[in-house]
Amino acid sequence: MNVKIADSWKNRLSDEFEKPYFAEVVAFVKDEYAKGLVYPPGKLIFNAFDKCSFEATKVVILGQDPYHGEGQANGLSFSVNDGVRSPPSLQNIFKEIQDDLGIEIPRSGNLERWATQGVLLLNSTLTVRANEAGSHQKKGWEKFTDAVIKSISDEKEKVVFMLWGKYAQDKGAMIDGKKHLILKAKHPSPMAANYGGWFGTKHFSQANTYLKDQGLDEIVW
C-alpha cells in the first residue's frame, strides 16, 4: 500500500501492509470513501505516522476514533484543524494542562505541534463514517494499531504511554511496563471526566518529569 508516512514507520510496518487482513481493511475503506463522506480526508489517514517518526516517538496518546464531524479530523488523535472549535474532550485536555503546568489554553486545537516534538497521536481506528461514531471499528484497523503499539513497546525504551479510558487501557496489555511509563486515567470526555478521574491526574507534568529523568527533551504542551 502506498501511503505517506515517515520512512522509519514504512520500514517497520511493511510486513503488516502485506498481510491479508490489511488488504481487507484497504478494500473496506476504499469502498467507504467511494460511497459517502468519511473522515479524515484520505491523504491524512496516516498523518500520525507522517508527523511523528518511529525514532522520534517518546510519548503515545491513544484515542479511539477520528472525530466524525465536518472538518474536524486531521489524522491525529484528539486534534482538530486550525479554525475548528475544540471538541469537549480536547477542551478538557487543555484545562488539565492549564491546571497542571500553568499553560494558557491555546486558540487552536491542532496538535501537530505535539506530533513534531515526538508525540504519536494514534487513534485505534484510523477512519470513520461522517456522523457515525464507531462505524469503522472491528474492520481490521485495531489489529494494525495493536501491531504499532507492540512494535513501540518491543523495539523502544523509555516511552510514555497515556491511556485514557477503558478502551485505551485494554490496549495497554501489550505494553511492557518495565521498559516504559504507563499513565492511566478516565477518558477526558465530559461524560467520564465530570465524574472524576480525569482532572487532577497531572499526566503532562508526570510525562515531562519522566522524560527529563531519562535525559530526553520535555514536551512543550
Side-chain angles (χ1 to χ4, degrees):
M1 184 178 183
N2 185 24
V3 295
K4 188 174 185 293
I5 62 175
D7 287 341
S8 56
W9 280 117
K10 189 174 288 188
N11 293 337
R12 275 170 179 81
L13 299 175
S14 58
D15 288 346
E16 215 65 27
F17 290 144
E18 299 302 321
K19 291 181 179 179
Y21 87 85
F22 197 82
E24 294 176 6
V25 173
V26 171
F28 168 76
V29 170
K30 283 183 175 179
D31 185 57
E32 286 285 286
Y33 275 93
K35 290 192 303 186
L37 194 55
V38 174
Y39 298 123
K43 65 181 181 180
L44 295 179
I45 292 174
F46 290 88
N47 197 27
F49 302 96
D50 189 45
K51 294 295 188 291
C52 182
S53 70
F54 180 85
E55 293 94 342
T57 298
K58 52 189 178 184
V59 178
V60 178
I61 298 179
L62 184 62
Q64 191 162 337
D65 292 311
Y67 293 122
H68 55 81
E70 182 179 357
Q72 291 181 313
N74 61 9
L76 307 175
S77 64
F78 295 103
S79 175
V80 292
N81 289 310
D82 292 323
V84 175
R85 177 180 170 82
S86 295
S89 292
L90 184 54
Q91 291 179 34
N92 283 341
I93 290 170
F94 286 150
K95 287 176 184 176
E96 173 60 18
I97 292 173
Q98 183 180 48
D99 180 65
D100 186 11
L101 295 169
I103 296 174
E104 287 190 20
I105 294 176
R107 292 183 179 180
S108 174
N110 190 336
L111 303 181
E112 186 175 324
R113 62 187 181 277
W114 293 2
T116 55
Q117 295 179 75
V119 181
L120 182 67
L121 295 159
L122 179 65
N123 278 315
S124 179
T125 303
L126 300 190
T127 54
V128 68
R129 203 175 297 140
N131 304 314
E132 291 186 46
S135 51
H136 286 188
Q137 291 179 9
K138 299 180 180 179
K139 302 296 183 182
W141 276 133
E142 294 89 346
K143 190 171 183 179
F144 173 73
T145 51
D146 279 355
V148 171
I149 294 168
K150 189 173 188 308
S151 176
I152 296 170
S153 178
D154 291 352
E155 298 182 48
K156 291 182 72 74
E157 294 181 349
K158 305 171 184 177
V159 174
V160 181
F161 288 86
M162 295 184 177
L163 306 180
W164 301 334
K166 186 179 184 302
Y167 188 88
Q169 290 169 21
D170 286 347
K171 301 271 278 188
M174 64 200 74
I175 302 169
D176 185 348
K178 295 178 181 178
K179 294 169 56 183
H180 307 286
L181 177 63
I182 301 174
L183 300 175
K184 297 181 180 181
K186 289 281 187 69
H187 194 276
S189 67
M191 188 177 297
N194 292 342
Y195 287 95
W198 166 253
F199 293 113
T201 51
K202 300 191 180 299
H203 277 189
F204 303 95
S205 60
Q206 287 186 65
N208 276 355
T209 297
Y210 178 81
L211 292 172
K212 186 177 180 180
D213 288 346
Q214 309 308 319
L216 300 170
D217 289 340
E218 299 172 62
I219 304 297
V220 180
W221 298 108

